[in-house]
Amino acid sequence: MIRLEDVYKIYPMGDEPVHALDGVSLTIEEGEFVAIIGQSGSGKSTCMNIIGCLDVPTEGRYLLNGQDVGAMKDDEQAFIRNKTLGFIFQQYNLIPRLTVFENVELPLIYRGMGERDRQAPVLRALEKVGLVEKLKNLPSQLSGGQQQRVSIARALVGDPSVILADEPTGALDSKTGKEVLEFMRKLNDEGNTVVLITHDMNIAEMARRVVCLSDGKITEDRAMGRKH
Amino acid sequence: MNIEQSFKMAIKSLRTSKMRSFLTMLGIIIGVASVIILVSLVNGLSSEITSSLEAAGTNTISVNIMGRGSNKSFGADDMAAFIEENKERFKAYSPVVNAQATAKNGVDSVTTSVTGVNELYAGMQGVTLEAGRFIQFIDADRLQKVCVIGTYIADELFDGAVYADSTVKINGSSYTVVGVLEETADSTEGSGDDIIYVPYTTATRLAGNANVSSYTIAARDVANIDDTVDLIRTELYGAFGNENAYRVVSMSQMIDMMNEITGSIAVVLVGIAGISLVVGGIGIMNIMLVSVTERTREIGIRKALGARRSAIMSQFIIEAATTSAAGGVIGILVGAALSFAAGAVFDMSVAPSVGAVLIAFGVSVAIGMIFGYFPAGKAAKLHPIDALRYE
Ligand SMILES: Nc1ncnc2c1ncn2[C@@H]1O[C@H](COP(=O)(O)OP(=O)(O)OP(=O)(O)O)[C@@H](O)[C@H]1O
Ligand SMILES: [Mg+2]
């Protein structure tokens, strides 16, 4: 369970500090599919970084499965990220020097799994995104859509309970974007909590719940009837 | 993340930028190679010296008498009596009188070292003859003007053709050549072949001083040679009452002294070469800092995926150590090759010791780890979100 309690993220910018998050309270239950929507600069990424334990609130508390992340040490946060969270970034964020296989394998390496034990889950994850035959390729030898699928495989491989996606379709054409979104829905159907960040209402409609952010504040939070 | 994984990753990043890796390693390569070469050369030199000293016999004791005042002395007769008294300890002895002299045959002339000895000298020092005989007891006893010449002298003065009645003029007086030594060093000037042996009694006159001041003594037993040296010292102290009037050194003490000297030379040289290892280490640190900056985003990704500080730390330290160790291995190979080449050129048995190789390797790994520590720490401390945002 994800729980933000009156969270502020304030960047000290000279005389006028930027309130990227300005008192956000939000609870996301297990198995939900939530879209966070808002204009550019509204604080979506900031919010996701906090949910993803990549950043800590300036004020307020963030509880993940009842634990206060802000009070954790670096390595404890790393442990949570590794075990509980899967990231899908707008820019894919694959490591260019590593092959597809090696990229997908990383979360398992940091979990301390041996080489032999890693093989099967990596192949399973690549199979899910349909890229087994590309496992020896470098990211630069793949199309944008394929790279994003690799990053999805990487997010899945450790079987995390929460998938966080920040504009996962931002760099893709509408068709491949749709495929990626279908994928997210499938993951949600399989029981994962999915948090999707977008500025596009059409995409947000894929979710079961939409949270609107504006200037660091939640302006709307509503449940959706599923399209289709 | 385990070490094997980091190691593979390090090899990979070394291979992707070969030129940069090579330049990074260059400092270490030069440092390690020069340490290996210096150690090999010094080792070769000291084993050369040791073996030539050992060839003279480890049971050899050399005695030098500087004397003090004219009323106290210890002459050849005193030495002979002393040796005779302690027969059970001494196998043989010979006075050694050194002089520089001009040797002439007709118009041919050489300046050479003339050594005055007795009949036991050849046996003690392993001097062998090509023809004729060595100095004999009777020669010394009767102050005979006879000599035994080295092959260099034979070549220079007689064109190699020495006959039974050949004579050579040493400092003006005529000596009969009774023997020619076996060649030991290609008959070159200044070598062991550039020598003339005469009876020591005759030599004292050539040298212009009445007393014999040096002796070579062969002890019967190498095991208690230090006691034997002390025995001689006690005798000489009795004669002079002053420790500075004489010097008694056994060959093994000489070898120890030599080794001590070459050892300290080696330490100084290796220390100097070690400086370039430090410079190499700084080069590695520099390039690792660049690499951390270049890979900030990668570090952010790894952290987002759950890499702990220690995992990032060990990745960069292992990368630095691998770079440095690879440089070390190349340096060892280069150093060994150059050592063997130098050995061939100087005609010495120069070989890098296993110890030097192991230490060089260990030091280069250590340098990588030490100088990689700071950049690795910098990488490990990066905040995940700052690293991910880095462009
Ligand atoms: N490191 C930072 N330092 C200063 N200000 C920041 C920093 N990160 C974000 N901000 C500011 O916080 C606000 C929210 O940024 P955020 O990245 O969360 O927006 P966003 O909703 O994700 O926008 P977009 O849709 O363009 O990605 C912006 O005004 C931004 O300028
Ligand atoms: Mg954003």
Side-chain angles (χ1 to χ4, degrees):
Chain A
M1 194 184 68
I2 291 164
R3 193 178 171 86
L4 299 177
E5 293 179 348
D6 203 20
V7 163
Y8 287 80
K9 185 72 195 182
I10 302 163
Y11 294 106
M13 277 286 164
D15 307 340
E16 225 166 294
V18 179
H19 288 239
L21 291 180
D22 203 11
V24 169
S25 296
L26 177 67
T27 304
I28 299 173
E29 300 294 341
E30 224 161 279
E32 276 197 88
F33 187 164
V34 180
I36 298 178
I37 189 168
Q39 284 175 342
S40 181
S42 57
K44 306 182 296 289
S45 295
T46 307
C47 187
M48 187 191 103
N49 291 335
I50 287 175
I51 294 173
C53 301
L54 293 168
D55 208 353
V56 288
T58 317
E59 267 175 58
R61 288 208 303 169
Y62 167 42
L63 301 174
L64 178 59
N65 295 330
Q67 286 176 289
D68 188 349
V69 174
M72 282 182 191
K73 290 203 184 87
D74 255 28
D75 279 355
E76 289 172 309
Q77 289 180 7
F79 179 74
I80 299 273
R81 285 196 293 272
N82 184 265
K83 211 183 73 167
T84 319
L85 301 162
F87 293 93
I88 301 167
F89 299 99
Q90 179 173 356
Q91 295 305 326
Y92 326 134
N93 276 342
L94 300 175
I95 296 178
R97 290 180 303 129
L98 304 184
T99 64
V100 165
F101 186 94
E102 288 164 336
N103 265 289
V104 175
E105 175 179 53
L106 283 171
L108 302 184
I109 290 177
Y110 292 124
R111 192 170 290 187
M113 259 194 200
E115 190 168 354
R116 227 175 279 163
D117 299 336
R118 297 196 296 260
Q119 197 94 1
V122 171
L123 290 177
R124 219 179 305 130
L126 282 173
E127 212 164 299
K128 266 191 191 164
V129 298
L131 280 174
V132 180
E133 70 278 13
K134 300 277 188 199
L135 58 85
K136 289 216 170 85
N137 287 42
L138 290 174
S140 57
Q141 297 161 331
L142 299 177
S143 74
Q146 288 169 331
Q147 288 186 53
Q148 190 59 298
R149 272 146 67 196
V150 174
S151 88
I152 292 172
R154 186 179 64 186
L156 298 180
V157 72
D159 201 18
S161 48
V162 179
I163 303 278
L164 300 174
D166 190 354
E167 306 266 14
T169 60
L172 303 175
D173 63 50
S174 61
K175 185 169 162 287
T176 26
K178 222 179 192 128
E179 280 170 23
V180 167
L181 290 171
E182 282 302 330
F183 215 91
M184 314 264 332
R185 188 134 87 186
K186 220 169 86 193
L187 287 174
N188 177 242
D189 290 342
E190 285 168 12
N192 293 292
T193 310
V194 177
V195 179
L196 169 69
I197 285 176
T198 179
H199 60 268
D200 184 342
M201 194 55 210
N202 290 327
I203 292 170
E205 279 173 353
M206 299 284 285
R208 300 196 187 205
R209 177 181 167 196
V210 175
V211 174
C212 295
L213 265 185
S214 175
D215 287 335
K217 291 190 174 72
I218 292 176
T219 53
E220 206 181 335
D221 185 346
R222 65 187 150 102
M224 305 283 290
R226 267 245 171 129
K227 257 179 140 187
H228 309 296
Chain B
M1 186 162 54
N2 60 24
I3 293 192
E4 189 198 339
Q5 200 67 35
S6 308
F7 183 70
K8 275 186 192 160
M9 212 106 75
I11 296 275
K12 196 164 188 154
S13 74
L14 284 188
R15 274 204 302 215
T16 44
S17 46
K18 289 193 188 71
M19 190 63 187
R20 182 202 269 196
S21 308
F22 175 72
L23 290 175
T24 310
M25 289 176 205
L26 202 54
I28 300 289
I29 294 175
I30 292 172
V32 166
S34 41
V35 168
I36 295 282
I37 292 168
L38 288 172
V39 169
S40 306
L41 282 178
V42 171
N43 276 349
L45 196 65
S46 88
S47 70
E48 197 92 333
I49 294 171
T50 304
S51 69
S52 71
L53 289 179
E54 273 172 355
T58 45
N59 64 338
T60 306
I61 298 168
S62 75
V63 176
N64 274 293
I65 294 171
M66 286 75 89
R68 201 185 75 105
S70 51
N71 49 349
K72 289 174 184 171
S73 73
F74 191 86
D77 297 340
D78 301 319
M79 184 57 90
F82 168 69
I83 298 287
E84 183 62 26
E85 257 171 55
N86 299 284
K87 253 200 229 153
E88 77 288 350
R89 283 198 176 260
F90 300 113
K91 211 188 305 187
Y93 91 105
S94 169
V96 178
V97 180
N98 284 308
Q100 285 294 314
T102 314
K104 270 191 191 171
N105 177 31
V107 290
D108 295 323
S109 146
V110 287
T111 302
T112 184
S113 64
V114 174
T115 305
V117 296
N118 70 9
E119 71 284 358
L120 299 172
Y121 186 84
M124 258 191 310
Q125 298 287 302
V127 175
T128 50
L129 294 178
E130 185 184 296
R133 64 172 179 84
F134 197 67
I135 308 295
Q136 290 178 344
F137 175 74
I138 201 149
D139 297 330
D141 199 38
R142 296 195 182 159
L143 279 83
Q144 301 280 22
K145 291 198 170 167
V146 294
C147 66
V148 177
I149 62 174
T151 47
Y152 170 72
I153 309 290
D155 286 350
E156 289 294 309
L157 299 188
F158 300 100
D159 287 332
V162 184
Y163 301 104
D165 58 348
S166 293
T167 59
V168 59
K169 275 208 161 70
I170 301 175
N171 281 2
S173 35
S174 186
Y175 285 68
T176 308
V177 180
V178 294
V180 177
L181 297 170
E182 217 160 60
E183 182 178 70
T184 60
D186 300 330
S187 301
T188 48
E189 187 173 358
S191 74
D193 295 325
D194 182 2
I195 193 163
I196 298 178
Y197 288 115
V198 297
Y200 72 91
T201 45
T202 323
T204 49
R205 298 193 171 179
L206 270 176
N209 49 1
N211 274 325
V212 176
S213 56
S214 301
Y215 298 88
T216 291
I217 302 172
R220 245 179 232 293
D221 194 355
V222 184
N224 63 358
I225 192 136
D226 289 345
D227 297 340
T228 311
V229 166
D230 285 343
L231 184 72
I232 302 171
R233 283 185 182 149
T234 310
E235 176 72 14
L236 291 175
Y237 190 80
F240 291 102
N242 183 338
E243 284 176 0
N244 296 322
Y246 52 86
R247 207 165 56 91
V248 184
V249 193
S250 73
M251 196 52 78
S252 50
Q253 287 167 336
M254 199 94 105
I255 290 171
D256 289 348
M257 270 156 56
M258 258 356 271
N259 283 343
E260 226 162 84
I261 292 168
T262 49
S264 42
I265 292 172
V267 167
V268 171
L269 290 178
V270 168
I272 292 168
I275 292 171
S276 70
L277 281 177
V278 173
V279 174
I282 293 168
I284 287 181
M285 174 150 76
N286 186 25
I287 220 70
M288 289 306 294
L289 283 172
V290 172
S291 163
V292 167
T293 308
E294 278 177 352
R295 280 148 65 182
T296 301
R297 209 182 164 82
E298 173 186 327
I299 294 164
I301 296 168
R302 288 177 186 275
K303 289 206 148 189
L305 299 178
R308 291 160 191 242
R309 281 188 179 195
S310 59
I312 300 292
M313 189 92 190
S314 71
Q315 182 191 335
F316 281 91
I317 284 190
I318 288 172
E319 185 164 327
T322 308
T323 308
S324 177
V329 169
I330 296 174
I332 287 168
L333 295 177
V334 170
L338 289 178
S339 301
F340 283 119
V345 170
F346 298 127
D347 197 19
M348 280 201 299
S349 61
V350 173
S353 69
V354 176
V357 167
L358 289 180
I359 289 173
F361 183 76
V363 165
S364 50
V365 171
I367 279 181
M369 292 177 77
I370 292 166
F371 287 94
Y373 190 86
F374 172 61
K378 210 179 151 205
K381 280 195 209 92
L382 281 174
H383 215 286
I385 193 65
D386 296 336
L388 270 176
R389 277 218 199 92
Y390 187 86
E391 292 300 332

